[in-house]
Structure formats: structure tokens, C-alpha cells
Amino acid sequence: MSSYSLSSMESCNWVLKYVSILLVFSIRLSCSTSETFNPSLLERVTNDTKVLHRNFTAISEFRMINRKILSDCSASNPFISVNVTSNCSLSDEGFVTVTVSGVSTPSKYDWVAMVSPTTSDVDSCLLKEFFYLQTGDTAKLPLLCHYPVKAQFMNKDPNYISCKNKECKKYEKGKCVISTCSGSIQFHVINIRSDIEFVFFSNGFIRPCLVGRSTPLSFANPKSPLYGHLSSIDSSGTSMRLTWVSGDMKPQQIQYANGKIVTSTVSTFSQADMCSSVLPSPAKDFGWHDPGYIHSAVMTGLVPLSTFSYRYGSNSVGWSKQIMFSTPPVGGSDELRFIAFADMGKTPLDASEEHYIQPGALSVIKAIASDVNSNKINSVFHIGDISYATGFLAEWDFFLHLINPVASKVSYMTAIGNHERDYIHSGSAYFTPDSGGECGVPYETYFPMPTSAKDKPWYSIEQGSVHFTVISTEHDWSKNSEQYKWMQKDMASVNRQKTPWLIFTGHRPMYTSGNGFLSSSSNFVEIVEPLLVQNKVDLALFGHMHNYERTCSVFQQECKALPTKDKNGVDIYDGRNYSAPVHVVIGMAGFSLDKFSSNKNSWSLKRISEFGYLRAHATRNGLNVEFVVSGTKEVKDSFHITK
């Protein structure tokens, strides 16, 4: 893989209409330089956003818009005007109103795209004809060359189709002979550094016809330091890494703990670092967006299980707000409270369609933020399928913005998934294009974990009484592989007197009743599962399947032990008489939910298909685990492992 240092750098129509009206009229325009969500805004949109976006997960007409024949309809619409207004300057976050006026015949197929950068060629691909022919794309030119960041149909304004906003454009003898219509829709915009533009199309997503465009809009400060997120670098609880994004390549600082200062190292990645094939990947081609510069610095001299404040930036580019964060407990101490989940992605805060939308992400991160703000959570583990950008690079910024209320306050640890790493002929264990050509490069740049080297995204860390072994199911795990030998050594070396709990995490599950595709290979289970039993792994956490499922103490498809129930009906696993690990699939944090097979395996004890997350409390003698439904905060499953 290429170096990526500084030097080489996704209901019914009435429901949709109802929610759209709420989004357009109930949300007050807000512009804020704050990196956290406005709570009232979240309250207004969270309950509706899952319904609004659930039909736009994965493949949709919008996702397939690139390479469509693009006609020019501007000549037949001489009165068209596309204007963008906001109640403030284009700041780091806010809602803008896009008004399209001069429309002669409003149609349900009219739509507006947000495009960035404004230099993107949305007119034609004439200069790239030979390039397209090489990919096997013989569609008539011109084509829509650059993928829009997001888009909305104009009928999100309920007055648009009925033409309630009418304007006369031509009078004859005092009588109006030509009148036009207008409509307004709102877009949630965050600072992605490059200029943005709103382009009005007719004919829907199948045969888009360019009608008009706004003037380019610039962010007030493209160099703003944004989207800071924390991670642990070791098991000491005394050092924390902060990673953030800026449009400025010069080193910046973290000011923390009442007077301490540390300077950032700066990295980025470029199109040249992305993977591709005979058919160009999104990351290499129409999904590319400049990531700016990724800053990272380590705060040292901290105290475990303590609270500190920090801000990051510089005098030249500005500073983040002051943020309070908590350090995790030192490895080997008595207690840890953590949250775990997988397959989150992001959900728009507006009524937009995007190439890949995860309808439950907003409700899940909101519920987790509530737990984190209660000061009862020490760390978070996100086990693969992080942003689902999959080669549409601007979506990393939207994901980082989404998790900021959580990741800026506690250690946010991650594992790599198929949608971060897999691509054909790239060295991944699975022969799929799931990363859209990213091949792990953006993931490892945005989320530097305590790994040994680039593209070796496995590591272990100890917090409180827990040893976490974090692997990559997307890299070679065969018996002669480097990762297998590392797993073997890491788990065998755990001092169970110091950290009595051993939790194993990876993205693709060993046990699932879902109807998913390529959950994991049988070879993976055959080769790696014995290591779990040999080293007395207590709990194995996986994602990939978009639901929640808990097993008995299972090995080789057989229950080696069943839990008993306490007086409250909670399942109790006897960890003092160890037989095999408990497996839990926790891929229900955002992506459209998977249904379960009608056949229930003997090892499957609990199956829930609702959005939520895992919440755990480990002491030296017990591990309490809960599945929390994000929309209601109801605990739908709980179990306890004794030690």
C-alpha cells in the first residue's frame, strides 16, 4: 500500500412528507461553531430520522447517479435562480436554506445536489471520454462526473408542487402571461473545508438534467480545527491521544490540564493512496474529497480515572471550545464501565439522501452521549464498520462530526471492518470491494490505534480489570500468519491475577443466526476459535450482522454450558467453572437492521433486531452486560458472568 504521510497524501410517502415538513418548519436555523449537537435539534430529529432514511440504506437510485447521461436544460428554463441563505455566515455547522425560483413546471422529480468542491465537473465529462471507455462505460456523454455530497427532492417543500409561491415573469396588457414557481429546502452543512455549491436538476436521479446552480459558498474558516476524538495509547490511563481535522498543514497544539501544551504531528492521504481496479473505485474517482490535514498529539502526565479540560488549534487558525474529558482506569485496577457496538455509520440531520445512510446511527450516538455525560462510562469500543464512507470521502467528516459529543470526552477505541479495509487485490482476506477503494488508509489515519505498524490493525489494551484483544477479521489470520501468532502470544500472556477478564473483539462473527452474506469464513472459526477456549476468553464481541444476538458458552457449535437465572430473571454464566466463551453480536448501532433466520440454533439464547448498544460493568468478581435500545434507553437483555 502507498504511504499516506504528509509528503504523499446510506415508509410510506405520507411519513416522508410528514417528516420533511417537520424538518423544514420545526428546525430553527442555527449556525454554531460548537462541535457538539444542539440538544433541542437532536430531540426534534432523532425520533423521525430512522423512518425517513431507512429506505436509503445501501443501493438506491441516488447511489447510482454517477455515470448517468447528463443533459443541459438551462436554455429551456431561462428564469431559474438558485439562491442560498443562512441566518449567519457559513460557519463550522449550520442549516442553510436553498431556494429555487423561476421554475415553469414544478415536478416531483426536481432535486438539488450539494456539490463540493465547486471545481468538480458537474457539466460534462468530455475530457475524460477515453478514461470512461476503458472502464467499459459506453454511455452517451456528457455524464455527471462528480458524486454530490448529498441531495434532496424539491417536493420536500410541501408548497413546491402546488406552486403556492408564484411569481409573474411577463405581463402583456396588464395581464400575467408567464408565471413561475419557487420552493425552499434546508440542508445541514458542516465544515468540509472546500467550497460548496447547490445545483438544481430535473428528471430525477435516473436521467439528470442540469438546470441551474448557485454561486459558490466558502466556509468562514476552512482551516478550523474540528472533530477531535480521543483514544488510549496504552494501558496506563496516564496518556491520551487526540486526533482532529483541519484545513491547515502547519502543526497545531493541545492546551490541556491547566497549562500543559503538546504540538501535533500532521498527516494526510491522497487519491494516489486509494486502491482501485479495472473499474475505478469511488475513492480513486468520483467519490474523492480532499481530507485536509489530520492532526494528532498525545497528552501525557495525566491521572487515571480523572477529569481534565483541553482545547486544540492555534492562534492562526482558531481554537476549539474548552472540552472536559475523562481518562480510563489503569489496567489492573478493580473496575471498568464501557460501551461497545459495531456498524454505526452516520445519519443526516436533514432530509437529504446520500449514497449510504445508516438510519439508526443518530439515535444510538444520542443515547450513548447521554450515558457518557452521566460520567458513568470510562471508554467506548467501536468494533468495525466505522463511517461507511466506502470511498465517498466527505462522509468521514460527517461521521466524525456525529461522534464528536462522545469521542471528544472518553477514549474511543476502534477495530477495522470490511467497509474500511476490503478491496480486490489489496491484501485483505476477503475478495470484495467493500471499502470502495479506501483499503484502510482513511480509517488508520483518522483512528490511530496502538498497533505495531500501518496495515496491521490489531492490538490489545487493558482498562480496569479487563484485557481487550482487538483483531482484524479482514487480514490474514491463518496459522502461519503474523496476526495469528500475535493473537496466540497476546492472549497467552494475559496475567489473570491483574486483569481477570479477557474480552476478544473482531468484526465478523463466529456465531450468527442472521441471513447475512459472508459473516465470516468457516476457516476463521476453525483456526481462531480454539485459541479463545485455550486462553479462557470470557466474552467475544463481534459486529457485521446488523442485530443483537447472545449465545450460551459455546464451542464448535455446541453449548458447553447454559446460564442459570437469578431472582430477577437475569442469565448468570458461571465463569468460575469455565467451559467456553459467550459470544455476542453487537452490529445494531446504525445500519439497517437484519432479520433473523426462522431456524434457531441451539447455541442462540437471545435475538433482538433493534437499534442500540452494549453497556458493561466489570469488577474483579463479575461482568454485568446490558443491551440498551437506543430509542427508549430500555434494557432489552442483560446477563452476568461470575469470576
Side-chain angles (χ1 to χ4, degrees):
M1 291 176 60
S2 302
S3 168
Y4 38 105
S5 63
L6 178 58
S7 60
S8 68
M9 2 207 270
E10 170 187 327
S11 152
C12 300
N13 290 334
W14 73 267
V15 176
L16 291 175
K17 182 176 180 180
Y18 169 73
V19 176
S20 302
I21 293 171
L22 284 178
L23 286 167
V24 172
F25 293 107
S26 296
I27 302 174
R28 294 185 179 182
L29 290 177
S30 64
C31 284
S32 172
T33 57
S34 168
E35 293 188 67
T36 57
F37 295 144
N38 181 317
S40 61
L41 172 61
L42 276 178
E43 292 294 340
R44 293 182 185 118
V45 302
T46 299
N47 293 333
D48 299 313
T49 189
K50 289 180 287 188
V51 173
L52 178 65
H53 295 294
R54 67 185 180 190
N55 293 327
F56 300 106
T57 296
I59 299 300
S60 67
E61 289 181 358
F62 181 63
R63 193 175 187 202
M64 308 302 289
I65 191 171
N66 195 259
R67 305 293 192 264
K68 299 299 181 183
I69 296 172
L70 179 65
S71 305
D72 186 350
C73 300
S74 57
S76 60
N77 293 267
F79 303 110
I80 287 292
S81 177
V82 183
N83 294 299
V84 185
T85 58
S86 171
N87 66 333
C88 61
S89 61
L90 200 57
S91 190
D92 293 335
E93 180 194 6
F95 282 81
V96 298
T97 300
V98 179
T99 299
V100 180
S101 58
V103 182
S104 57
T105 307
S107 167
K108 66 179 181 179
Y109 299 111
D110 295 342
W111 58 284
V112 172
M114 173 180 155
V115 176
S116 179
T118 56
T119 54
S120 301
D121 192 352
V122 294
D123 289 316
S124 70
C125 298
L126 292 175
L127 298 178
K128 303 179 183 179
E129 181 173 3
F130 181 70
F131 175 76
Y132 280 79
L133 290 174
Q134 288 188 77
T135 71
D137 192 338
T138 58
K140 181 182 176 181
L141 297 176
L143 298 168
L144 182 61
C145 298
H146 188 82
Y147 198 93
V149 175
K150 55 170 66 179
Q152 289 186 48
F153 281 101
M154 284 301 303
N155 62 11
K156 293 292 192 291
D157 181 344
N159 296 323
Y160 180 70
I161 299 297
S162 61
C163 195
K164 288 191 176 180
N165 299 314
K166 187 176 293 188
E167 182 181 2
C168 187
K169 293 295 185 180
K170 184 178 179 180
Y171 290 91
E172 288 185 1
K173 298 179 181 180
K175 187 176 182 180
C176 183
V177 294
I178 299 177
S179 63
T180 61
C181 311
S182 66
S184 298
I185 51 179
Q186 290 186 334
F187 283 85
H188 177 241
V189 177
I190 64 169
N191 190 342
I192 52 176
R193 298 164 301 281
S194 59
D195 291 355
I196 63 173
E197 182 181 23
F198 292 90
V199 184
F200 178 57
F201 295 91
S202 61
N203 290 357
F205 297 149
I206 301 299
R207 298 181 64 85
C209 190
L210 195 155
V211 184
R213 57 207 309 170
S214 72
T215 57
L217 294 158
S218 299
F219 289 96
N221 182 7
K223 296 184 177 182
S224 284
L226 296 167
Y227 319 134
H229 49 282
L230 297 160
S231 60
S232 297
I233 67 164
D234 55 32
S235 304
S236 70
T238 62
S239 299
M240 293 280 278
R241 180 183 296 278
L242 181 73
T243 304
W244 68 97
V245 182
S246 172
D248 185 33
M249 66 183 295
K250 296 178 182 178
Q252 298 172 18
Q253 292 181 335
I254 309 175
Q255 297 177 349
Y256 68 102
N258 296 322
K260 293 185 178 182
I261 297 174
V262 62
T263 300
S264 68
T265 58
V266 189
S267 63
T268 190
F269 51 91
S270 69
Q271 279 177 287
D273 296 309
M274 304 293 98
C275 293
S276 196
S277 61
V278 175
L279 191 67
S281 68
K284 198 85 168 182
D285 187 22
F286 53 85
W288 172 257
H289 185 271
D290 193 299
Y293 299 93
I294 294 85
H295 293 251
S296 190
V298 176
M299 295 179 281
T300 60
L302 305 173
V303 179
L305 213 56
S306 300
T307 301
F308 300 91
S309 67
Y310 70 94
R311 69 172 188 168
Y312 55 94
S314 69
N315 289 333
S316 61
V317 303
W319 294 89
S320 73
K321 67 184 182 68
Q322 203 78 22
I323 304 166
M324 300 298 295
F325 77 100
S326 300
T327 52
V330 61
S333 57
D334 292 343
E335 194 173 11
L336 174 69
R337 297 178 186 269
F338 69 94
I339 279 171
F341 55 85
D343 304 83
M344 176 177 275
K346 75 274 166 294
T347 314
L349 286 180
D350 56 23
S352 288
E353 298 179 30
E354 298 175 356
H355 96 280
Y356 226 4
I357 289 175
Q358 294 69 51
L362 181 58
S363 68
V364 171
I365 201 67
K366 174 180 177 286
I368 293 173
S370 176
D371 276 352
V372 168
N373 290 335
S374 72
N375 297 318
K376 294 180 180 179
I377 301 300
N378 305 128
S379 61
V380 170
F381 287 81
H382 187 162
I383 314 300
D385 284 5
I386 308 298
S387 73
Y388 286 96
T390 60
F392 297 80
L393 277 303
E395 299 198 5
W396 276 105
D397 285 291
F398 282 88
F399 173 76
L400 294 171
H401 173 270
L402 181 83
I403 67 168
N404 182 263
V406 170
S408 63
K409 296 179 180 179
V410 293
S411 176
Y412 195 97
M413 308 302 291
T414 59
I416 201 166
N418 55 302
H419 285 295
E420 285 74 61
R421 182 60 184 84
D422 295 358
Y423 202 76
I424 304 162
H425 301 309
S426 70
S428 56
Y430 292 86
F431 200 75
T432 68
D434 288 352
S435 76
E438 293 185 5
C439 294
V441 174
Y443 164 76
E444 289 195 282
T445 308
Y446 288 121
F447 289 95
M449 294 293 108
T451 60
S452 63
K454 291 293 185 183
D455 205 32
K456 297 181 181 180
W458 48 85
Y459 64 94
S460 65
I461 196 163
E462 295 181 343
Q463 295 180 346
S465 54
V466 183
H467 179 102
F468 293 91
T469 297
V470 183
I471 73 153
S472 169
T473 55
E474 311 312 302
H475 288 74
D476 189 2
W477 27 252
S478 63
K479 281 196 174 181
N480 293 321
S481 69
E482 179 181 357
Q483 183 174 202
Y484 180 89
K485 293 175 182 177
W486 175 85
M487 283 188 275
Q488 198 173 33
K489 181 179 179 181
D490 178 72
M491 288 189 284
S493 66
V494 178
N495 181 347
R496 304 302 281 266
Q497 297 300 313
K498 178 185 177 186
T499 51
W501 300 104
L502 175 52
I503 298 180
F504 181 91
T505 67
H507 185 60
R508 295 178 191 252
M510 295 182 180
Y511 293 89
T512 174
S513 300
N515 293 313
F517 175 66
L518 282 179
S519 58
S520 65
S521 83
S522 58
N523 288 337
F524 173 68
V525 180
E526 180 182 342
I527 292 170
V528 178
E529 188 182 24
L531 287 177
L532 276 58
V533 176
Q534 291 167 18
N535 292 285
K536 296 187 176 182
V537 167
D538 300 287
L539 182 63
L541 301 177
F542 299 96
H544 196 62
M545 300 307 300
H546 307 130
N547 49 40
Y548 172 87
E549 185 168 21
R550 170 168 60 87
T551 73
C552 57
S553 297
V554 62
F555 179 56
Q556 295 180 339
Q557 302 288 320
E558 293 183 6
C559 283
K560 298 301 180 181
L562 287 168
T564 59
K565 291 191 180 293
D566 68 8
K567 62 182 181 179
N568 297 315
V570 175
D571 281 354
I572 308 296
Y573 294 84
D574 185 3
R576 291 166 292 192
N577 187 22
Y578 183 84
S579 57
V582 179
H583 290 245
V584 187
V585 173
I586 52 172
M588 65 288 144
F591 199 96
S592 189
L593 295 165
D594 289 334
K595 295 180 180 179
F596 289 100
S597 167
S598 58
N599 298 320
K600 187 171 182 180
N601 298 286
S602 60
W603 43 258
S604 180
L605 300 188
K606 195 74 175 181
R607 307 193 301 183
I608 303 171
S609 186
E610 294 189 58
F611 293 117
Y613 56 97
L614 198 78
R615 186 169 60 198
H617 178 204
T619 64
R620 303 195 70 82
N621 300 316
L623 178 60
N624 290 301
V625 185
E626 300 174 326
F627 169 57
V628 183
V629 175
S630 59
T632 62
K633 295 298 293 290
E634 179 186 359
V635 175
K636 276 291 185 76
D637 183 41
S638 60
F639 63 95
H640 180 77
I641 307 176
T642 60
K643 181 64 70 178

